[in-house]
Amino acid sequence: MSTETIPNQTQNLTDGMHIVVDALKKNGVDTIFGVVGIPVTDLARHAQEVGIRYIGFRHEQSAGNAAAIAGYITKKPGICLTVSAPGFLNGLTALANATTNGFPMIQISGSSDRAIIDLQQGDYEEMDQMNIAKPFCKAAYRINKPEDIATGIARAIRAAISGRPGGVYLDLTTALLASACDQDAMEKTLYTVVDPAPASLPSPASVDRALALLASAKKPLIILGKGAAYAQADENIKTFIEKTGIPFLPMSMAKGLLPDDHPQSAAAARGLVLQNADVVVLLGARLNWLLAHGKGKHWNPDNHFIQLDVDAMEFDSNRQIEAPVAGDIASSMEAFVAGLSKYPIKSDPAWMDMINKDKAVNDQKMAVKLASTAEPMNFFNALKAVKDVLDKQRDYYLVNEGANTLDDTRNVINMYEPRKRLDCGTWGVMGIGMGFAIGSAIVTGKQVVSIHGDSAFGFSGMEVETMCRFKLPITVVVFNNGGIYKGDSPNLSGGTDPSPTTLMPDARYDKIIEAFGGDSYYATTPDELTKALTAAIASKKPSLIDVKIDPSVGLESGHIGNLNPKTVIKEAH
Ligand code: ADP
Ligand code: MG
């Protein structure tokens, strides 16, 4: 600390940790997700004291996932608080996942004594956290002096939500947290960040180029990504799509941006539209693995791309983008809607007819699967039971993780409102489930239905205690087929150990919630599942439904088995 800031006795004394809380509060932070311990316990206590909600978790990864999804839903950085070294590392997976997905989040972590860390003298939970965090986040900062707190918080907020949103690491040293300082002098340094996510307008020439290309299309397609959902430009996106009549394909978390039963949805004709579209608009979606990189048998190799993205570095990542539009999607869509007076684009109805024929065939195939009478249930007749209940609801969040549970739920359960489907995202990561469920319930106050595979649930299952402690209106649904992908794989040695993909086939996940006073349900038939889900949602209480699924029905890796390297084990099946 510099000599001028050493307080004298006439001053009103405070410390770094109080100033950090004041700075967060001044910048509109109303919720912190975390796990306390040395050196941040008092920081959390004080945050709660001044009216910031503190949501304590059982593992930092879930706290981080809750913060990340809070950021996605609210467009404000979600805050995760962790302790030094191990707690910091536990949170880092969530921070990296937030960065990969473009969710705004700040992981604030306490850290040990810098002098000891730098000489590697063996401190309690010693780790050079800021430098370790750097490759996993959008930006990493450390605040060393109380007089830098305002700046540190401002930099973290701007980095998290401006441009492409992402995860930010903010290191608070033990010395900073404990350093005595003058309350009045420090308060004067604090401020509210002005316009933390400034609009970035697309150039008129780029909009013109894009609309001219789109006007030339015979078979145009708009792919909606979660960047479009995040932008909260819902009205202009709807207007543009409906005025032009262009079919749209939602990526997983963009489902509901326009309702899934919208007549222009091409979701049930995905293969056909990717193979046939001649001009494709990527609206806040990346040409990554989830779109087969825009290449190969799934794609028309001669199509043309228009891409709207806030991050100009994204263009040409996999295929040439002939009409890049760099800007935030709210500003870009405003320009696109205005541009329709110059380019009165109308998609040829024959194109939609072709899509509708394909949709009808695929819908019929799906109807057959959903009508299955299999017992024990498979994923489809179980999901039919869930769909029958959820189609009557609109105002709920759907969290979804797993392999088959993820892929089949995405295909079966319609979404009708924007940003309400929260799932494994860009990485296809397991373990986001309970964090996303709790984070979304906390920041919205709405009902959450959280559908997990039994393996996926295991990564964050202890957070059932958190959801009961905070009495959240979350219904956890565990699709229990007793394994990773499936429960009945053999041990190739012929020995008695369970196979690598086998979990306990008769596990009763519903019993877990009973330990914490939540409501438990067990469903072995579609009828029981419909009744259980209806009752669980109506109660608005924390609840868990164990759904017994046939251990033999899962596909290896769900819909992405093609990504598995071919191994001897695969051949043996
Ligand atoms: P999906 O997985 O749904 O296809 P991605 O996460 O791959 O979506 O892509 C989202 C894209 O949206 C990213 O390239 C990101 O830079 C961009 N993006 C995020 N927010 C905005 C925004 N407000 N305006 C414009 N682009 C955005
Ligand atoms: Mg399973």
Side-chain angles (χ1 to χ4, degrees):
M1 197 193 301
S2 55
T3 41
E4 325 63 286
T5 59
I6 293 177
N8 63 44
Q9 280 160 349
T10 60
Q11 289 169 325
N12 193 359
L13 271 187
T14 186
D15 53 42
M17 120 169 62
H18 281 76
I19 301 301
V20 168
V21 169
D22 293 350
L24 290 171
K25 198 163 182 201
K26 205 160 195 126
N27 281 285
V29 170
D30 52 16
T31 309
I32 295 176
F33 305 92
V35 179
V36 295
I38 297 170
V40 296
T41 310
D42 272 351
L43 194 158
R45 278 201 188 102
H46 180 55
Q48 194 171 53
E49 183 184 5
V50 300
I52 295 177
R53 269 195 106 180
Y54 177 78
I55 313 297
F57 282 72
R58 305 303 298 266
H59 191 287
E60 293 85 352
Q61 194 177 118
S62 292
N65 286 323
I69 212 63
Y72 172 71
I73 293 170
T74 63
K75 286 185 105 172
K76 295 194 310 188
I79 309 290
C80 171
L81 182 68
T82 59
V83 304
S84 34
F88 154 76
L89 282 175
N90 283 346
L92 205 51
T93 303
L95 190 69
N97 187 56
T99 307
T100 301
N101 281 279
F103 300 153
M105 163 184 174
I106 303 172
Q107 180 179 348
I108 300 179
S109 190
S111 60
S112 308
D113 189 300
R114 283 232 48 82
I116 300 176
I117 293 170
D118 288 348
L119 275 172
Q120 297 180 35
Q121 293 172 300
D123 204 3
Y124 167 75
E125 297 190 344
E126 174 183 298
M127 182 172 273
D128 185 7
Q129 294 171 194
M130 181 185 72
N131 286 307
I132 285 167
K134 277 180 185 165
F136 301 102
C137 59
K138 189 176 166 191
Y141 305 103
R142 178 163 55 228
I143 309 178
N144 290 289
K145 302 184 289 186
E147 54 268 46
D148 288 340
I149 288 170
T151 304
I153 299 289
R155 302 217 71 190
I157 291 172
R158 285 200 184 279
I161 57 172
S162 62
R164 175 187 282 174
V168 174
Y169 177 64
L170 185 62
D171 195 277
L172 306 180
T173 63
T174 295
L176 171 84
L177 293 168
S179 58
C181 48
D182 173 44
Q183 166 105 30
D184 302 331
M186 282 306 119
E187 287 295 337
K188 285 201 193 103
T189 67
L190 300 185
Y191 62 91
T192 309
V193 177
V194 177
D195 196 10
S200 89
L201 271 59
S203 78
S206 71
V207 174
D208 239 43
R209 190 191 296 118
L211 292 180
L213 176 55
L214 194 56
S216 75
K218 300 265 176 300
K219 293 174 178 168
L221 174 69
I222 296 175
I223 298 183
L224 299 170
K226 62 172 124 55
Y230 176 82
Q232 300 195 10
D234 309 340
E235 271 315 304
N236 275 332
I237 290 173
K238 180 172 185 283
T239 302
F240 188 82
I241 288 178
E242 291 185 344
K243 275 198 168 170
T244 60
I246 298 174
F248 67 91
L249 186 64
M251 301 301 289
S252 196
M253 283 180 61
K255 273 167 71 78
L257 188 42
L258 270 76
D260 276 332
D261 59 357
H262 192 284
Q264 285 167 255
S265 170
R270 191 173 193 268
L272 177 111
V273 291
L274 294 185
Q275 271 165 4
N276 288 280
D278 57 356
V279 176
V280 175
V281 182
L282 297 166
L283 187 50
R286 285 173 282 189
L287 269 185
N288 56 19
W289 68 279
L290 288 151
L291 285 169
H293 306 282
K295 299 172 192 167
K297 62 176 181 186
H298 300 290
W299 282 88
N300 170 8
D302 302 318
N303 69 1
H304 306 274
F305 281 110
I306 296 165
Q307 186 165 22
L308 284 72
D309 206 292
V310 72
D311 183 358
M313 273 174 69
E314 186 58 39
F315 306 133
D316 294 333
S317 64
N318 287 275
R319 289 270 309 271
Q320 184 189 11
I321 303 299
E322 286 170 51
V325 181
D328 73 89
I329 280 173
S331 303
S332 297
M333 286 314 297
E334 222 169 281
F336 267 46
V337 169
L340 287 180
S341 51
K342 183 167 166 199
Y343 296 95
I345 298 167
K346 273 275 168 235
S347 179
D348 182 353
W351 170 223
M352 202 62 227
D353 287 348
M354 179 176 167
I355 294 167
N356 282 335
K357 289 207 180 81
D358 194 57
K359 272 168 77 171
V361 172
N362 291 335
D363 285 347
Q364 183 49 36
K365 282 188 199 153
M366 179 58 89
V368 170
K369 287 191 195 174
L370 295 179
S372 161
T373 54
E375 259 179 58
M377 288 181 275
N378 57 38
F379 288 98
F380 290 99
N381 59 347
L383 280 166
K384 170 74 166 59
V386 173
K387 182 181 169 65
D388 287 345
V389 179
L390 294 186
D391 265 348
K392 295 186 200 124
Q393 317 269 330
R394 298 279 149 127
D395 207 13
Y396 73 97
Y397 283 81
L398 179 70
V399 174
N400 191 198
E401 64 174 343
N404 293 276
T405 304
L406 177 81
D407 293 332
D408 296 338
T409 303
R410 186 197 307 114
N411 286 347
V412 173
I413 305 297
N414 277 351
M415 301 306 299
Y416 302 97
E417 293 181 4
R419 294 170 293 281
K420 292 212 158 154
R421 186 184 154 84
L422 313 171
D423 68 26
C424 305
T426 306
W427 264 352
V429 68
M430 297 297 116
I432 47 83
M434 291 304 297
F436 279 13
I438 292 167
S440 57
I442 289 287
V443 294
T444 69
K446 306 257 186 212
Q447 175 72 40
V448 177
V449 176
S450 194
I451 305 182
H452 312 240
D454 54 332
S455 160
F457 176 69
F459 288 84
S460 63
M462 193 64 208
E463 303 300 345
V464 165
E465 189 275 331
T466 308
M467 101 180 176
C468 289
R469 186 166 15 108
F470 284 90
K471 303 184 174 64
L472 298 174
I474 300 172
T475 298
V476 174
V477 180
V478 179
F479 275 10
N480 183 2
N481 68 346
I484 300 176
Y485 313 134
K486 57 200 293 198
D488 67 345
S489 299
N491 173 337
L492 296 183
S493 78
T496 53
D497 279 350
S499 86
T501 57
T502 300
L503 299 170
M504 292 180 75
D506 296 320
R508 290 283 300 272
Y509 292 95
D510 50 315
K511 299 288 174 196
I512 293 176
I513 198 168
E514 290 174 10
F516 309 112
D519 288 351
S520 63
Y521 302 86
Y522 180 53
T524 60
T525 64
D527 193 42
E528 284 172 7
L529 178 50
T530 300
K531 286 199 180 109
L533 188 57
T534 305
I537 290 176
S539 78
K540 302 220 175 299
K541 287 196 347 216
S543 49
L544 194 155
I545 309 173
D546 183 307
V547 182
K548 188 166 179 57
I549 302 281
D550 185 344
S552 72
V553 293
L555 295 173
E556 179 104 352
S557 305
H559 292 185
I560 51 174
N562 60 308
L563 300 182
N564 269 318
K566 271 260 172 209
T567 66
V568 180
I569 293 173
K570 287 268 308 172
E571 304 292 351
H573 265 87

